[in-house]
Amino acid sequence: MEARKTREKLKNLLPYGMVATKKWLAAQGLSTHAIDNAVKSEVLLTLTAGVYTQYSANVRWEGVVASLQTMTDKPVHLGGESALALAGMAHYLSLGKKQVIHLFSEATLPRWVARLASDTDVNGSFKSHSTKQLWSEDVMDSDQYLKAREWQPDAPDVKYSCPEKAIMEVLVDVPRSVSFDHADELMQGLLNLSPKKLDGLLLGCKSIRVKRLFFWLAARNDHQWFNKLNVQDYNLGAGKRVVAKDGKLDKTYMITVPKHL
């Protein structure tokens, strides 16, 4: 009787392709004894220490992200270049090949995420980005800056940044792991951004550096939406910011940029 109840509960908690930790399953009302028995009877399949799935061990990165978003207390979303790729705005990234999945959250990602990517073939690796110095709580708590991707019937959607938010998340890593030229290429393709969403994001963005770089790239590409933003409405701080070492100072936004640009 108990085994049948456990199976029924797991069927609802763990749709096909989803994963769950032992701690989370216990928080949903399953006893340690019931979980251990489910593992022994192979109702639950162990992917890595303390992390389980049902039906098949072939878990994709979408299932990991959707599961993480279900289990965590703090908001976590797919962002940056990963979000632009899902929106079809980074065609050079193939979602069919192993890739880096960029995840953004105020909290540090749980260790099991990296373990799972290492121990199983989830078709990707995960990179964590802290949002503490980038987004206000209002931005992180708002669904208006997120989109949803259906990846599996009857499973929660994967939440990812809208293009307006994603491009600013990319700019955090310029020029450390994202080149100026690459950021410029991405901005060139962002023809139809929403001035209303950009306004809210620029007001909620904590990074002076990101905002200045965003405006510099936007002015350089001169999209129609850029002309609907009033730069004076946003806090861009004071003084110079060195973004490109040995670069040239842009006197409008007071950041150093590569001389060839």
Side-chain angles (χ1 to χ4, degrees):
M1 179 69 74
E2 183 184 0
R4 188 173 68 196
K5 287 182 178 180
T6 299
R7 282 195 298 271
E8 287 300 315
K9 192 156 192 173
L10 286 172
K11 187 176 180 180
N12 293 324
L13 290 173
L14 273 178
Y16 185 84
M18 298 283 285
V19 304
T21 62
K22 192 170 189 176
K23 181 179 179 180
W24 185 79
L25 290 173
Q28 308 313 305
L30 287 170
S31 67
T32 299
H33 177 71
I35 295 170
D36 290 342
N37 281 342
V39 172
K40 289 177 184 177
S41 63
E42 297 186 349
V43 172
L44 280 179
L45 305 176
T46 302
L47 295 172
T48 190
V51 182
Y52 312 104
T53 189
Q54 280 202 108
Y55 311 114
S56 169
N58 295 324
V59 175
R60 291 153 44 194
W61 66 261
E62 293 96 333
V64 178
V65 175
S67 300
L68 181 64
Q69 291 175 335
T70 299
M71 290 188 285
T72 52
D73 296 327
K74 291 287 186 180
V76 55
H77 64 270
L78 195 76
E81 289 193 74
S82 298
L84 290 177
L86 282 189
M89 296 178 177
H91 57 83
Y92 50 86
L93 290 175
S94 172
L95 293 180
K97 297 180 180 179
K98 191 167 185 178
Q99 61 188 296
V100 177
I101 308 302
H102 296 276
L103 295 174
F104 289 76
S105 179
E106 178 185 336
T108 303
L109 292 183
R111 293 179 181 177
W112 64 262
V113 176
R115 282 204 321 269
L116 190 59
S118 175
D119 294 348
T120 63
D121 182 16
V122 294
N123 210 30
S125 60
F126 301 95
K127 184 175 181 180
S128 175
H129 301 263
S130 174
T131 60
K132 288 182 180 180
Q133 304 302 318
L134 179 60
W135 297 125
S136 66
E137 287 188 13
D138 288 344
V139 169
M140 287 298 291
D141 290 338
S142 176
D143 284 340
Q144 70 173 307
Y145 305 118
L146 296 176
K147 298 170 78 70
R149 183 193 187 194
E150 181 181 343
W151 61 279
Q152 183 71 38
D154 302 321
D157 293 339
V158 170
K159 295 179 181 179
Y160 65 100
S161 293
C162 62
E164 293 83 358
K165 188 178 183 184
I167 187 60
M168 295 189 201
E169 291 168 342
V170 169
L171 298 183
V172 173
D173 290 324
V174 174
R176 291 186 299 273
S177 58
V178 176
S179 69
F180 273 88
D181 291 286
H182 186 47
D184 190 43
E185 289 172 1
L186 291 173
M187 186 66 83
Q188 285 174 27
L190 301 178
L191 302 176
N192 298 307
L193 298 189
S194 162
K196 183 177 180 181
K197 285 184 179 179
L198 287 171
D199 176 64
L201 289 164
L202 288 163
L203 290 172
C205 181
K206 296 181 179 181
S207 173
I208 299 297
R209 182 178 176 278
V210 165
K211 286 185 284 191
R212 291 192 194 183
L213 187 52
F214 172 81
F215 277 120
W216 178 77
L217 286 167
R220 173 178 167 80
N221 286 277
D222 196 26
H223 292 316
Q224 190 173 9
W225 50 261
F226 172 65
N227 299 316
K228 297 180 181 179
L229 296 173
N230 183 359
V231 178
Q232 305 304 319
D233 291 344
Y234 311 104
N235 176 20
L236 297 185
K240 303 173 185 177
R241 294 291 194 280
V242 176
V243 183
K245 291 183 179 180
D246 301 321
K248 183 178 180 180
L249 180 68
D250 176 83
K251 294 183 179 179
T252 301
Y253 299 108
M254 299 300 286
I255 57 172
T256 57
V257 297
K259 295 175 182 178
H260 72 277
L261 292 178

